[in-house]
Amino acid sequence: MRALTAIPVYNEERHLRSVLNEVRRYSPENLVINDGSTDRTAEILSSEAGIHLITHSQNRGYGAALISAFAYVLEHQFDVLVTTDCDGQHEPSRISVLLEAIHDADIVSGSRYLRFFRENTHAPQDRLKINQRITTELNQRFGLNLTDAFCGFKAYRADGLARLRISETGWGMPLQLWAQAAFLKLRIKEVAVPRVYLDPNRAFGGVLNDADERLGYYRRVIAEAENGIPSKNHEGTVAESAPPATGYAFDCCAESCW
């Protein structure tokens, strides 16, 4: 099984080198998507040998970075994609847990609320409440059984990725993902991971710094995703209207924030 670990980054000069060094211990092939960083991220990456690299000329969003990762995996014929954030929230040592669980699943998603870990830190209250609300709404609308809708620590089978039509470029991308995964009846697992917030005050940016605005945005993404799911025509077959997943252009971690 050929696996690639993808790390979306935006202005992560503080954490980038240490995260990359740790990820390399558990993943031999790694992709960094530099999503228009304006700090020293590009300079640091230029001195890092042996990584796959995609550079967005401008900041296009968390979802856009992962869309590029999805396309890269399909184009280069990897079997599995692992995604992890670059802010120290995720423990690369648990990449093996995701890969072990993917043997009979299409998507394996970390959950910070599945069980207690001693190293858990407190989630910011607005993020916790929004995560709980959105996770409940997804479960009710799409028949899912999630406990953490936003964790960016995931593993995907490439053949499952090829069936998705992800277009949401912002923080709400995972919500579109869950809606499509439910429609496609992809096999979904959650595995427990620690809840670690090294910097609970990190901002989303713009109007999304306001919790009410963020909740409204997430609900709009869910509604748009539901409306975009192909409906059955009068003959009972699904009418496909979305472009193929391999058509993403490269020139473009979720409540789990960069």
Side-chain angles (χ1 to χ4, degrees):
M1 181 174 66
R2 188 173 175 229
L4 177 75
T5 297
I7 311 170
V9 300
Y10 175 64
N11 290 348
E12 288 290 359
E13 63 181 8
R14 288 176 54 200
H15 302 289
L16 178 55
R17 187 158 277 136
S18 61
V19 168
L20 261 177
N21 288 341
E22 189 67 12
V23 167
R24 282 188 174 113
R25 296 178 59 192
Y26 304 97
S27 173
E29 296 204 64
N30 302 294
L31 166 70
V32 177
I33 308 96
N34 180 11
D35 188 35
S37 297
T38 57
D39 63 356
R40 293 181 56 251
T41 291
E43 177 186 342
I44 293 169
L45 288 171
S46 69
S47 66
E48 293 288 340
I51 61 170
H52 305 266
L53 178 64
I54 294 172
T55 299
H56 294 176
S57 58
Q58 297 178 342
N59 177 240
R60 296 177 180 264
Y62 179 79
L66 291 182
I67 286 170
S68 287
F70 294 168
Y72 193 93
V73 161
L74 296 175
E75 182 173 330
H76 292 82
Q77 299 182 337
F78 287 90
D79 301 305
V80 175
L81 171 69
V82 173
T83 60
T84 184
D85 292 346
C86 194
D87 57 3
Q89 281 199 57
H90 305 146
E91 296 181 346
S93 62
R94 296 181 188 273
I95 289 173
S96 60
V97 177
L98 298 179
L99 294 177
E100 182 178 350
I102 200 75
H103 76 280
D104 61 351
D106 298 301
I107 302 174
V108 177
S109 187
S111 172
R112 297 159 291 181
Y113 304 100
L114 200 56
R115 73 175 179 86
F116 175 78
F117 290 87
R118 286 183 299 174
E119 59 263 52
N120 279 359
T121 60
H122 292 292
Q125 280 302 299
D126 63 329
R127 299 190 186 194
L128 175 61
K129 289 177 181 178
I130 288 175
N131 195 333
Q132 290 173 335
R133 284 187 185 183
I134 292 298
T135 299
T136 298
E137 291 175 20
L138 286 169
N139 289 340
Q140 291 173 343
R141 291 173 82 155
F142 302 113
L144 297 169
N145 192 30
L146 301 172
T147 61
D148 187 350
F150 288 103
C151 185
F153 197 33
K154 287 183 170 63
Y156 305 83
R157 279 192 174 277
D159 51 4
L161 280 180
R163 301 175 65 194
L164 297 171
R165 304 292 184 265
I166 302 300
S167 59
E168 174 56 44
T169 60
W171 293 115
M173 183 280 289
L175 311 181
Q176 185 186 50
L177 170 76
W178 291 130
Q180 292 188 17
F183 168 76
L184 294 167
K185 294 182 169 53
L186 298 185
R187 299 166 299 169
I188 298 167
K189 278 186 186 179
E190 284 188 322
V191 297
V193 297
R195 184 175 63 252
V196 180
Y197 283 92
L198 297 181
D199 183 3
N201 297 314
R202 293 188 73 167
F204 288 86
V207 297
L208 295 188
N209 289 335
D210 180 270
D212 291 334
E213 292 283 352
R214 199 159 69 249
L215 179 60
Y217 158 63
Y218 290 152
R219 285 174 168 159
R220 288 193 297 275
V221 171
I222 294 173
E224 289 168 4
E226 189 170 28
N227 290 335
I229 289 174
S231 58
K232 290 187 177 180
N233 61 27
H234 65 282
E235 295 177 343
T237 58
V238 173
E240 291 286 355
S241 58
T246 53
Y248 295 129
F250 286 163
D251 186 18
C252 305
C253 185
E255 283 291 298
S256 130
C257 188
W258 289 352

